Amino acid sequence: MRIGIPAETNAGEKRVATVPEVVEKLIKLGFTVAVQSGAGDAANCSDEAYRSAGAEIIDGASKLWAESDIVFKVAVPTRAEVELMREGGILIGFIWPAQNPELMQQLAAKKATVLAIDALPRQLSRAQKMDALTSQAGVAGYRAVIEAANAFGRFFNGQITAAGKVPPAKVFIAGAGVAGLAAIGTAAGLGAIVRANDTRAEVADQVKSLGGEFVKVEYEEEGSGGGGYAKVMSEGFQQAQREMYAKQAREVDIIVTTALIPGKPAPRLITAEMVQSMKPGSVIVDMAAERGGNCELTVPGEAVVKHGVTIIGYTDLNSRLAKQSSTLYGTNLFRLAEELCKAKDGIIDVNMEDDAIRGLTVIKDGEITWPAPAPKMPAPAAKPAAKPVAAPAAHGSAGAPASAGKVVAFFTAVALLFLLIGAYAPVAFLGHFTVFVLACFVGYMVVWNVTPALHTPLMSVTNAISSIIAIGALVQIAPPTMLGLTRPEGWILGLAVVAIALTAVNMFGGFAVTKRMLSMFRK
């Protein structure tokens, strides 16, 4: 089957549905690929690069649409593009079926099979590799901070120079979804003080892990919705949220809003009064501008200045990083093609029994199949039966708290044991025993007081250091004349050799694991 990549016709759209690197992978799956001439120019993908990757270059959209069995698209197709589509063809791209009922009817009339990448059941873990919404949101979140930095009149990071001290910028991120988390990581990486808020309390740890501070709304209500989105909150929560936003607006220099709820207009989070309270030179980047905006003064597609505050409402943040966005999007579609063509014979099989494919398929052979039924999630693991609560034990019986007398008796017995050991054990034993007890105590306290996030690298180093027992083994196998010792028995020598082998693995493995763990935190 032939996959066609048309040039995007929407104004300002610079992305392309695949890139030359992905074309090579599609060809290995058994497909042939045709690209409309000039389709990738705005994303720095030339016709020659596509041709070198094995694609055919076709002049004109009408010929490409007519001769392609499958069409990969980025933006929602226009009515004119659907007219060019061949009867019974396959279309894969963004469709937004709930917002485009007329388009759905037009595609159904073409007897088409349509896979809407925006309808992917994101709650399925294996669907993550095909999740174009996530990949594109990450790019947009990064670009939002870059646009804010461009419009902001100062450094993001604090600096101390001969000309004076420059305070770090304060950035507030409204919404900690994929785009919000990308914005948090970017702003923190640039050195800003980052704060963030989200209606879903479970994202607080993610915000902190990226270097941000989670600002909690003083109102208890769970905000998680389906598919990783937030839900519409109660009026009481919204009032408390507005008060928190008003406070942040007075304090911060930059606000990035990312709040969206599927199928609904963007919630208004930043009012005109909040904008007026911000410091002159502040910046607001409204990532929800295409859906009406989270800021009351946002003008979709433009950057305007109101009350001394620059309000950026660009709706083409992904196209401002067209090459990166296209590469990620093309990879998402390639992963989808792998699922559709498991035989690698260039033939697509739209398996409606597969939950991920069923969720994507909004039209099958001209029949509208949207919305899809909820995917079958694996059954939760059975909870272990609750243990019966034992009745309180009588005073002095088994299971009752130890009395002070018993504690005294226990420690007295231990003290007598140590006294007997001290009286009859060799003098060298007491020294070694004391060091052993102190080492256990100090080691336990050191490990216990370490942040849990560092336990894995710490434990690997601890294991390596504990391999000091290798020295003892080396002493056993050393020539007796070197140490003034008698030659040990054969079985002791064997144990020493085994100990050296095991501790060598422990030492080198411990430091190797530590190096890999710590490299994850380096940029």
Side-chain angles (χ1 to χ4, degrees), residues 121 124 126 130 339 342 350-361:
L124 298 177
R126 71 182 188 85
M130 302 177 276
E339 292 294 315
K342 293 183 178 179
V350 182
N351 181 12
M352 299 296 274
E353 298 300 319
D354 185 313
D355 283 340
I357 303 304
R358 175 64 186 90
L360 284 166
T361 307

Side-chain angles (χ1 to χ4, degrees), residues 5 84 124 187 215 224 226 229 235 274 279 310 323 330 353 373 395 397 402 430 450 457 488 497 501 507 522:
I5 312 296
L84 297 175
L124 298 177
V215 182
S224 295
Y229 291 100
E235 181 55 38
M274 294 180 195
K279 293 173 281 190
T310 302
K323 175 66 173 180
E353 298 300 319
H395 181 69
S397 64
L430 289 178
V450 170
V497 171
M507 284 187 289
R522 296 194 183 101

